[in-house]
Amino acid sequence: MTAPLTRRLPALGASMSPRAEVDSALRADVLHGLTMVPKTLPPKLFYDAAGAALFERITELPEYYLTRAELEVMRAHARDIATLAGEHCALIEYGSGAGIKVRLLLDAFASHDHPVAAYVPIDISREQLAEVASRIAAEYPTTPVHSVCADYTAPLRLPDLPQRARRVAFFPGSTIGNFHPTEAAAFLRRVRHTIADDGVLVLGVDRRKDSSILNAAYDDAAGVTAEFNLNMLRRLNRELHADFDLERFRHLAFFNDTASRVEMHLVSVEAQVVHVAGERVAFEAGESIWTESSYKYDRERLDALVTSAGFHITHLWTDSAERFWVAYLDAA
Ligand code: AVJ
């Protein structure tokens, strides 16, 4: 993996790494995944500019309750979080996306008369990150913003933060669900290391629930999630000179109860050969590319996860329909 790419605002539009470097990492990830059994592509590849925009549309779908449920919890408890975390905090957000949720926290800290000493948004979607970081820097002029365009599934280096600032990590959206539980624990251990002994983690987690609700959330009637899934192939066609025919793959999403995860796949509707970055990739009829897992947590699984990563749940909030959790975690 390449080194983390950091910069200070307002260096908008500055290229953070040579294009060729990015492409070779993408090529390696994709060819590695497509030679595995079963074929797999990592969900981080969803988020090119078109994919980030499609995900924003998903968050507004009637079936996709996650974002609304989490916002409900954040609106109810952002002030509690700011009170608990206290003064002189550096806020580090893993996956800043459209930058909506963090405003609730930034506002809550500001209304307690102790605005955060720094905000570090980390995201893989370069265009969206640049836009969000510059807007937040403009709206919160006393808060230095240091954006980091990086894949946080790999170890990354963060910019220097204000001395003595308490580190508050924010990992919203239930993106933790994209990791296999073993990897989720390894990731949270890295976060635990980053925030140090006096740090905090605010974690958004989707709760395990009836499969009919989950299946609808990941296979919406309007077909936006299907479009989001297929967009990964469109991206590979463009960036890796691949020749996926989007008419010959279909979106599949279902809750796997045994593993407690929603799986998303792209299923080849017939036997075919696709070319990707100069390599041949053969598909049998019905064979799929596994593009995402979204693990769903019950209390037992959540406790096991956070405990194994060296955290302790001090507060656990949910929405009125009890679909989603926001956990406030201390270093154990
Ligand atoms: C952004 C990873 C939380 O898993 O629910 C939405 C992505 N995939 N619909 C999720 C997603 C399909 C989303 N996360």
Side-chain angles (χ1 to χ4, degrees), residues 139-157:
E139 285 170 42
Y140 300 86
T142 62
T143 298
V145 178
H146 310 266
S147 64
V148 178
C149 184
D151 165 17
Y152 52 75
T153 63
L156 82 165
R157 222 178 319 114

Side-chain angles (χ1 to χ4, degrees), residues 43 46-47 55 58 64 66 172-178 206 217-218 225 228 251 264 292-296:
F46 285 132
Y47 301 96
F55 179 69
I58 288 176
Y64 195 79
L66 286 81
S174 198
T175 304
I176 189 70
N178 277 181
D206 194 24
Y218 291 83
T225 308
F228 173 73
H251 169 68
M264 290 213 313
E292 186 176 55
S293 296
S294 245
Y295 283 85
K296 305 302 171 186

